[in-house]
Amino acid sequence: DVKVTQSSRYLVKRTGEKVFLECVQDMDHENMFWYRQDPGLGLRLIYFSYDVKMKEKGDIPEGYSVSREKKERFSLILESASTNQTSMYLCASTRGRGEAFFGQGTRLTVV
Amino acid sequence: KQEVTQIPAALSVPEGENLVLNCSFTDSAIYNLQWFRQDPGKGLTSLLLIQSSQREQTSGRLNASLDKSSGRSTLYIAASQPGDSATYLCAASGNTPLVFGKGTRLSVIA
């Protein structure tokens, strides 16, 4: 069974903290994505990666960075967490332009 | 820039009814169209993927169609059940990563 695993279901962090969200896939997919989901705004693309050590900005990259040191792992980094980054974060992966598989989501609250 | 719209935003139906969820997209140059289900507080579960060369895909009680020329896709759910209650999202894949609609929240009443 294909799997995308996000390291945490729920996180509570303080304003100004550096936050790491981890995502691992076991399908040998080359493409990985980070979205955030907010009520009324839907899913918005933060960053994506088409290969190891490659990264591309999505629609809302400000305040975020990413790391892809290994093919199976894609990390989202909040350099200095702010309350407006409280959201549901979703990781996905694909092989080429094929079917997208999502992780279970991380509900991040910044206080 | 691709834009994806889903209508209606919410839908409530009695159990057993057949229903159709709508998805429209502005750029017809897509590679595929994917439908997802999302339960409250959870991630997205892939339901059906329609390649641009296909007209429809079926899985059990679900049937999804794609009309690229008109920029529309529909998800048909037959004989709805309370367990079908969830938010359904469509997403279009083209020269950019998946672009999502905001979803249709479905409630099936027993």
Side-chain angles (χ1 to χ4, degrees):
Chain A
D1 211 11
V2 298
K3 207 144 197 182
V4 178
T5 303
Q6 294 182 228
S7 53
S8 305
R9 286 293 309 280
Y10 302 96
L11 273 180
V12 180
K13 296 293 182 180
R14 295 195 179 277
T15 301
E17 273 193 78
K18 191 168 186 176
V19 181
F20 294 85
L21 303 183
E22 307 285 347
C23 176
V24 176
Q25 50 93 6
D26 65 0
M27 297 165 283
D28 199 38
H29 286 174
E30 66 272 24
N31 305 324
M32 296 188 75
F33 310 86
W34 276 106
Y35 290 86
R36 65 177 282 178
Q37 184 178 32
D38 300 286
L41 298 177
L43 276 86
R44 294 178 291 167
L45 181 65
I46 306 171
Y47 266 98
F48 58 103
S49 170
Y50 287 144
D51 202 350
V52 176
K53 296 194 186 294
M54 292 183 66
K55 61 184 178 183
E56 299 283 345
K57 292 181 180 179
D59 299 319
I60 52 163
E62 297 78 19
Y64 303 94
S65 63
V66 290
S67 173
R68 184 115 183 253
E69 295 296 318
K70 293 185 177 182
K71 190 176 186 179
E72 67 270 19
R73 186 180 297 271
F74 192 34
S75 303
L76 181 68
I77 304 158
L78 286 66
E79 298 291 344
S80 178
S82 64
T83 55
N84 63 13
Q85 292 178 310
T86 291
S87 187
M88 170 71 100
Y89 289 88
L90 294 160
C91 174
S93 71
T94 70
R95 173 171 291 117
R97 300 188 189 279
E99 187 176 7
F101 294 92
F102 277 79
Q104 76 275 31
T106 296
R107 171 71 65 184
L108 173 67
T109 302
V110 182
V111 297
Chain B
K1 182 182 176 183
Q2 180 73 272
E3 293 182 8
V4 179
T5 303
Q6 291 186 247
I7 295 173
L11 182 64
S12 183
V13 301
E15 181 178 5
E17 195 162 295
N18 301 325
L19 59 101
V20 173
L21 306 181
N22 296 295
C23 172
S24 61
F25 46 94
T26 55
D27 185 352
S28 62
I30 62 170
Y31 290 101
N32 60 55
L33 192 291
Q34 196 166 352
W35 283 91
F36 297 88
R37 169 186 172 135
Q38 185 177 32
D39 294 295
K42 301 287 180 65
L44 276 64
T45 300
S46 178
L47 297 174
L48 288 165
L49 172 75
I50 313 175
Q51 301 289 355
S52 61
S53 57
Q54 298 174 317
R55 297 283 297 189
E56 63 179 65
Q57 281 284 346
T58 298
S59 176
R61 293 182 294 108
L62 306 180
N63 175 275
S65 68
L66 175 64
D67 184 344
K68 279 182 56 178
S69 61
S70 67
R72 294 177 187 273
S73 177
T74 61
L75 179 67
Y76 174 83
I77 303 177
S80 59
Q81 304 170 356
D84 294 330
S85 297
T87 296
Y88 291 80
L89 297 111
C90 68
S93 174
N95 289 322
T96 57
L98 281 174
V99 176
F100 283 83
K102 293 183 179 178
T104 295
R105 189 173 67 254
L106 173 66
S107 297
V108 181
I109 311 300

